[in-house]
Amino acid sequence: MRSLIDIKELSLKELDSLIDTALDIIENPQKYSEKCKGKKLATLFFEPSTRTRLSFEAAMYELGGNVLGFSEASSSSSAKGESVADTAKMISCYADIIAMRHPKEGAPLVASMNATIPVVNAGDGGHNHPTQTLADLLTIKRKKGRFNNLTIGLCGDLKFGRTVHSLIAAMSRYEGVKFVLISPEELRIPSYVKTDVLDKCGIEYVETKDLCGAMPELDILYMTRIQKERFFNEEDYLRLKDSYILDPQKLENAKKDLCIMHPLPRVNEISVKVDSDPRACYFEQALNGKYMRMALILMLLGIK
Ligand code: NCD
């Protein structure tokens, strides 16, 4: 029985195989429509979500399975003081696989150590978000056709943005990848990501505050929301929230085949004027998340 807590648990070969499955699902959806018949996915969301929870649910329905769960902590027994470990043991009696989002870093790991069914980390605090990375990887594959030799700009809240941490971990395993880490001073990438991932993999990276200066060399620009819910005080959030707003003018010096990504939800970081630019990939990225979650559910349930 296998869970997915951190993207690095998947080998490059397994990632390729998930991408191949997702591409086959896109081509032949009817082939998959009953693969999970009789199976149940439990979505345990202790934090707000639109895309992740609903794309997990849509994924399971499109595989012919069923879904149960809750979308806020206040409607679950955690409000009565139940531990994550106990919740995981209980849900193992009701479902075949769990997708869990939790504000505490490490909560899905604790769940996976106590559940008798696979647990998928659907975002744990400011730490990791491996299934968003699966959506990101399929988007990069479909847009760029490769993972090697890409210069990737990550812009916004690199400190608390869990999608950024997981994407760096995944992309650092490919050849010729370079990161440009664009953020305000206070929201720079955590030092553990630098030492445990970037330095360990010998990845080239620069840190800068200057989005426009970095623009011309980027193959991918990954914008992120300032993570309001992780701030200790409102004042800091208000000061930093509009640090970067991508608009058509800022894209003037960008490559013609730049791929503009965002895990969404967007607040202010990308002007809606950019949405009609053919380089904007963020809504497709959300759709790709559903296909990759379908592929992942099949893999973790051992369904061919
Ligand atoms: C992200 C998250 O929850 O970390 N959203 C998502 O799952 N697509 C990004 C965010 O909330 O900013």
Side-chain angles (χ1 to χ4, degrees):
M1 202 258 314
R2 186 158 173 203
S3 289
L4 177 65
I5 304 302
D6 186 308
I7 193 70
K8 294 195 293 296
E9 294 160 14
L10 294 168
S11 67
L12 294 187
K13 207 166 150 231
E14 287 173 318
L15 284 177
D16 281 344
S17 148
L18 286 171
I19 287 171
D20 287 346
T21 305
L23 292 172
D24 193 48
I25 291 170
I26 294 168
E27 290 299 318
N28 308 292
Q30 69 295 339
K31 213 169 100 184
Y32 293 87
S33 65
E34 301 219 329
K35 291 270 186 209
C36 283
K37 204 167 174 197
K39 300 284 185 200
K40 279 171 282 175
L41 163 75
T43 51
L44 313 184
F45 277 63
F46 296 87
E47 255 195 356
S49 168
T50 301
R51 268 149 300 274
T52 304
R53 184 170 64 83
L54 297 187
S55 72
F56 257 113
E57 298 193 354
M60 194 52 158
Y61 285 127
E62 288 188 25
L63 291 167
N66 289 299
V67 177
L68 65 165
F70 52 82
S71 54
E72 10 175 354
S74 62
S75 65
S76 78
S77 276
S78 75
K80 299 179 185 170
E82 185 169 60
S83 67
V84 163
D86 283 1
T87 303
K89 281 184 193 152
M90 284 309 311
I91 303 295
S92 300
C93 308
Y94 306 144
D96 300 285
I97 182 167
I98 292 172
M100 177 185 275
R101 169 169 290 187
H102 203 286
K104 285 218 174 83
E105 288 82 1
L109 174 64
V110 171
S112 72
M113 291 159 67
N114 288 276
T116 54
I117 58 176
V119 176
V120 180
N121 178 4
D124 63 327
H127 190 212
N128 281 324
H129 193 347
T131 64
Q132 178 61 47
T133 301
L134 295 180
D136 301 342
L137 293 177
L138 181 58
T139 307
I140 294 172
K141 181 76 181 182
R142 294 179 81 186
K143 289 286 162 190
K144 293 277 160 209
R146 66 180 198 276
F147 294 121
N148 294 329
N149 303 318
L150 291 169
T151 298
I152 305 172
L154 298 157
C155 177
D157 188 344
L158 309 187
K159 181 181 181 187
F160 297 117
R162 55 194 174 195
T163 64
V164 165
H165 307 155
S166 292
L167 184 59
I168 289 177
M171 291 305 295
S172 291
R173 298 190 291 179
Y174 295 98
E175 296 271 313
V177 167
K178 183 182 163 190
F179 291 108
V180 184
L181 305 171
I182 309 154
S183 74
E185 189 68 32
E186 292 98 317
L187 299 177
R188 281 162 64 168
I189 201 90
S191 57
Y192 81 86
V193 177
K194 290 189 208 166
T195 52
D196 299 356
V197 184
L198 292 165
D199 294 342
K200 211 182 216 169
C201 297
I203 290 285
E204 201 186 323
Y205 69 91
V206 287
E207 294 184 278
T208 176
K209 292 191 201 98
D210 180 11
L211 172 59
C212 291
M215 195 66 86
E217 64 165 323
L218 303 181
D219 298 304
I220 293 171
L221 172 59
Y222 195 96
M223 296 297 295
T224 62
R225 173 179 70 90
I226 307 295
Q227 306 280 299
K228 181 180 185 193
E229 64 275 37
R230 316 261 179 249
F231 277 69
F232 294 110
N233 69 70
E234 173 113 14
E235 223 170 89
D236 286 345
Y237 171 71
L238 292 175
R239 184 168 48 82
L240 293 167
K241 76 181 174 69
D242 290 330
S243 299
Y244 300 99
I245 301 177
L246 184 67
D247 58 22
Q249 206 185 345
K250 292 202 181 77
L251 285 164
E252 268 166 17
N253 292 325
K255 287 189 181 170
K256 294 277 167 285
D257 63 348
L258 172 72
C259 176
I260 306 166
M261 299 173 67
H262 191 307
L264 303 177
R266 140 175 75 184
V267 183
N268 248 349
E269 325 67 66
I270 303 183
S271 153
V272 291
K273 291 193 195 120
V274 176
D275 296 1
S276 55
D277 187 309
R279 293 169 291 187
C281 300
Y282 26 96
F283 292 109
E284 267 171 85
Q285 197 181 340
L287 175 61
N288 287 332
K290 182 184 72 176
Y291 298 126
M292 286 303 269
R293 290 180 175 108
M294 289 173 81
L296 180 69
I297 290 170
L298 291 173
M299 182 187 137
L300 295 180
L301 290 180
I303 296 169
K304 289 263 168 293

